[in-house]
């Protein structure tokens, strides 16, 4: 595999989930594979899990790791073709990507949606800029549209914890004071389309995700109806897609509570705002899988890096 940009780069999901679970049992089995290989982790945005789990995955494979908070410490980059760079940006991605590629065999990039300009966000200027100019494999650590390492960890978590062959999985929107990107929800939706699940999306009107991504998915505006009989409840906030980047609804009536959960297992990618997105009792209770999900981030990343390393050897 050359790049891991979205879950469409997964050629056989069942096989990948099985392989990740095998890696999890013996994480140091491929220490030789990454020897003398360097990964660069470039962050244009904050991170806790993605940063540490991808770093740990690389260490488990014997790789060297360089991390840069490029959004904070790097030169401001320009991504437009033919730019006249007489404003804020000091360096073009054409140089930056090729320079990083002199030092790294593989580059992973985190660059969230701006939520200001839909066309620019959908063009994935940052991720595609690195892909176009670096000439080394690129891994997506959450871009404008996709968070495929998270979705792979979620698939592993569901596989490990499901009690029926075809679980009912509900993606339930939650309130949040700030406008958040669509990437986590998008990749989760794409993943559920590939998994054997009865999948339902629920959110207030106005929060419809990109229809190209949700095509064929069941949508239920009544949260209570959607949650009935759920085996897994995946909670996430996102801002409006139609009224791009706007917060339309802040009422806590969509917050996940123990009462709403029934017997379902609770999932969230984290970070999560307590008692806004979900009440304490759910996060602190036995139905929560959030730590298991975060743990599986390591093995999702490790599988992706392993597959890339196998092709560059
Ligand atoms: C980010 C988001 O919603 O995309 C990252 C989640 C992994 N969350 C926040 O910015 C709070
Ligand atoms: N779930 C996730 O990607 O978390 P971070 O933003 O902390 O990396």
């Amino acid at each position: 595999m050359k790049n891991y940009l979205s879950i469409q780069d997964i050629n056989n999901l069942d096989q990948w989930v099985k392989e990740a679970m095998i890696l999890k049992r013996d994480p140091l089995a491929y220490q030789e594979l990454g020897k003398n290989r360097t990964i660069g982790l470039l962050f244009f945005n904050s991170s806790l899990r993605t940063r540490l789990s991808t770093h740990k995955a690389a260490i488990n494979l014997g790789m060297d790791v360089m991390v840069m908070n490029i959004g904070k410490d790097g030169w401001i980059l320009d991504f437009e073709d033919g730019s006249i760079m007489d404003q804020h940006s000091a360096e073009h991605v054409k140089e930056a990507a090729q320079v990083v590629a002199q030092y790294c065999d593989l580059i992973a990039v985190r660059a969230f949606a701006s939520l200001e300009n839909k066309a620019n966000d959908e063009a994935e200027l940052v991720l595609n800029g690195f892909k176009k100019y670096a000439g080394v494999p690129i891994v997506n650590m959450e871009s404008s549209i996709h968070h495929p390492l998270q979705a792979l960890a979620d698939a592993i978590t569901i596989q490990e914890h499901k009690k029926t062959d075809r679980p009912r999985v509900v993606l339930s929107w939650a309130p949040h004071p700030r406008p958040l990107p669509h990437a986590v929800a998008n990749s989760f939706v794409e993943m559920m389309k590939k998994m054997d699940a009865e999948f339902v999306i629920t959110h207030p009107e106005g929060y419809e995700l990109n229809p190209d991504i949700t095509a064929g998915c069941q949508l239920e505006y009544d949260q209570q109806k959607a949650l009935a009989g759920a085996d897994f409840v995946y909670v996430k906030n996102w801002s409006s897609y139609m009224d791009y980047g706007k917060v339309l609804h802040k009422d806590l009536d969509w917050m996940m509570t123990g009462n709403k959960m029934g017997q379902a297992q609770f999932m969230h990618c984290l970070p999560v705002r307590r008692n806004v997105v979900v009440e304490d009792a759910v996060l602190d209770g036995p139905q929560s899988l959030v730590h298991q999900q975060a743990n599986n981030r390591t093995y999702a990343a490790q599988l992706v890096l392993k597959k890339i390393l196998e092709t560059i050897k």
Side-chain angles (χ1 to χ4, degrees), residues 59-245:
I59 292 173
N60 285 350
L61 291 166
M63 301 183 82
D64 293 315
V65 184
M66 298 202 289
V67 187
M68 185 166 177
N69 291 325
I70 195 163
K72 205 165 138 225
D73 302 328
W75 300 107
I76 296 177
L77 295 186
D78 200 301
F79 296 93
E80 305 280 347
D81 244 358
S83 269
I84 298 169
M85 291 169 51
D86 61 356
Q87 296 293 315
H88 302 299
S89 47
E91 176 157 36
H92 201 279
V93 68
K94 285 189 187 182
E95 281 73 47
Q98 290 181 70
V99 168
V100 178
Q102 309 300 309
Y103 316 137
C104 300
D105 302 285
L106 203 157
I107 300 173
V109 179
R110 163 163 284 201
F112 288 174
S114 69
L115 297 177
E116 280 161 16
N117 182 323
K118 191 187 235 180
N120 278 356
D121 285 349
E122 297 205 324
E124 295 274 34
L125 292 180
V126 183
L127 190 71
N128 284 336
F130 277 91
K131 180 186 160 207
K132 187 166 173 191
Y133 297 114
V136 299
I138 302 293
V139 173
N140 182 350
M141 297 196 294
E142 187 172 340
S143 64
S144 298
I145 308 178
H146 302 287
H147 195 356
L149 289 173
Q150 181 66 51
L152 181 55
D154 298 337
I156 298 165
T157 309
I158 289 175
Q159 183 62 30
E160 286 175 332
H161 293 273
K162 71 182 189 183
K163 292 169 188 150
T164 56
D165 284 345
R166 193 162 187 279
R168 181 173 171 88
V169 180
V170 182
L171 171 62
S172 189
W173 180 92
H176 197 283
R178 293 166 54 86
L180 296 192
H182 309 98
V184 171
N186 287 343
S187 289
F188 187 71
V189 168
E190 290 180 330
M191 184 56 87
M192 286 306 103
K193 286 171 138 182
K194 283 187 185 263
M195 282 185 90
D196 196 10
E198 182 192 337
F199 179 55
V200 187
I201 305 171
T202 185
H203 55 67
E205 287 191 36
Y207 278 100
E208 292 74 14
L209 291 161
N210 181 343
D212 293 338
I213 291 175
T214 56
C217 294
Q218 202 183 322
L219 170 60
E220 170 57 69
Y221 290 111
D222 182 329
Q223 190 190 35
Q224 197 181 347
K225 274 192 198 156
L227 291 173
D231 296 299
F232 294 93
V233 176
Y234 196 103
V235 175
K236 182 72 184 82
N237 167 267
W238 58 88
S239 56
S240 175
Y241 177 75
M242 292 189 301
D243 193 356
Y244 193 65

Side-chain angles (χ1 to χ4, degrees), residues 48-60:
L48 188 150
R49 281 143 290 273
T50 304
R51 177 167 175 165
L52 297 181
S53 64
T54 311
H55 195 146
K56 174 145 184 176
I59 292 173
N60 285 350

